[in-house]
Amino acid sequence: SYELTQPPSVSVSPGQTASITCSGDKLGDKYTCWYQQKAGQSPVIVIYQDTKRPSGIPERFSGSNSGNTATLIITGTQALDEADYYCQAWDSTSPQVFGGGTKLTVL
Amino acid sequence: EEQLVDSGGGLVQPGGSLRLSCAASGFTFRSYWMNWVRQAPGKGLEWVANIKEDGTETYYVDSVKGRFTISRDNTKNSLYLQMNSLSNEDTAVYYCVRARWELRAFDIWGQGTMVTVSS
């Protein structure tokens, strides 16, 4: 079955840029999306179709996807961005696959 | 407001059964594929099952095949998950989730309902 790999944790200082990677075989050939999950809350989509932001998501969130790696980038990271982030490789056939999640800490 | 409200979770003994429900509002429920996604305590997200708009197609993760059944009632704007032969490994928060094919993403999540399998 298809697998996605994320780093368990990423740390960033306030105002700096955070990059969270998601790796999978030929991931660039699939659409990738990213979800933010704050403690005790349901996931919220922050990036879809590799690079697009839903309405209401701040411009500091961006994404890329090429080769075997997709990346979520948060520029000017704020304390309120501290959360778990999950990538998902969209598949037109089931099952849908999530990465293991990355805990973003804003120090 | 587009919303999903999950319910039906609780404590159940190993080998027992439970039926989860999800009530949709604020959108045309019958027009969307729907999913169940679960999250074990302290763990990541795991897709469990999905169902086509008209209920004619369903798919499951291997670990629940033959034990779980996803269904929907478009007249009641409701999604269900019948869970049988539950084991400790099924302990998780279960989320009802809407799929948006044009976005290639899950765009609306319920608040989740906790299922605890324990003796």
Side-chain angles (χ1 to χ4, degrees):
Chain A
S1 62
Y2 196 76
E3 293 186 359
L4 294 172
T5 301
Q6 298 181 235
S9 63
V10 168
S11 297
V12 64
S13 299
Q16 298 303 303
T17 297
S19 295
I20 301 173
T21 58
C22 174
S23 299
D25 184 50
K26 298 180 181 178
L27 183 56
D29 293 342
K30 302 176 181 290
Y31 277 123
T32 299
C33 51
W34 292 89
Y35 303 93
Q36 175 194 68
Q37 186 180 33
K38 296 184 178 181
Q41 298 183 20
S42 302
V44 172
I45 185 168
V46 294
I47 293 289
Y48 66 96
Q49 290 184 17
D50 299 337
T51 62
K52 298 178 181 178
R53 276 180 295 104
S55 60
I57 300 301
E59 291 184 5
R60 63 179 180 275
F61 287 87
S62 63
S64 65
N65 186 15
S66 179
N68 295 322
T69 304
T71 304
L72 174 67
I73 301 166
I74 310 173
T75 57
T77 307
Q78 300 181 11
L80 56 82
D81 298 328
E82 190 162 283
D84 294 328
Y85 291 85
Y86 295 89
C87 62
Q88 178 195 2
W90 184 264
D91 204 316
S92 59
T93 62
S94 300
Q96 298 294 336
V97 177
F98 293 97
T102 298
K103 181 177 181 60
L104 177 67
T105 301
V106 182
L107 298 172
Chain B
E1 178 190 6
E2 298 175 323
Q3 190 175 12
L4 298 169
V5 177
D6 306 318
S7 62
L11 176 63
V12 60
Q13 293 187 340
S17 298
L18 209 57
R19 189 194 194 208
L20 305 184
S21 298
C22 168
S25 60
F27 64 95
T28 306
F29 179 72
R30 64 179 182 273
S31 297
Y32 296 91
W33 280 76
M34 294 299 297
N35 299 257
W36 288 100
V37 174
R38 68 183 177 183
Q39 185 171 34
K43 303 297 184 181
L45 302 172
E46 179 184 37
W47 174 83
V48 174
N50 64 5
I51 185 168
K52 194 176 179 180
E53 296 98 324
D54 60 5
T56 58
E57 295 181 33
T58 59
Y59 300 92
Y60 301 89
V61 68
D62 285 348
S63 59
V64 308
K65 283 180 182 176
R67 301 188 300 121
F68 289 13
T69 302
I70 187 172
S71 62
R72 65 192 297 163
D73 185 338
N74 288 343
T75 66
K76 296 181 178 180
N77 292 334
S78 294
L79 178 72
Y80 307 101
L81 186 67
Q82 177 65 44
M83 304 186 295
N84 299 330
S85 302
L86 286 162
S87 69
N88 294 340
E89 287 69 37
D90 297 315
T91 293
V93 174
Y94 285 73
Y95 296 100
C96 169
V97 186
R98 186 177 83 172
R100 287 280 299 275
W101 281 93
E102 61 270 35
L103 303 186
R104 308 298 197 273
F106 295 153
D107 69 333
I108 299 177
W109 296 65
Q111 87 285 5
T113 186
M114 182 70 203
V115 172
T116 303
V117 184
S118 175
S119 55

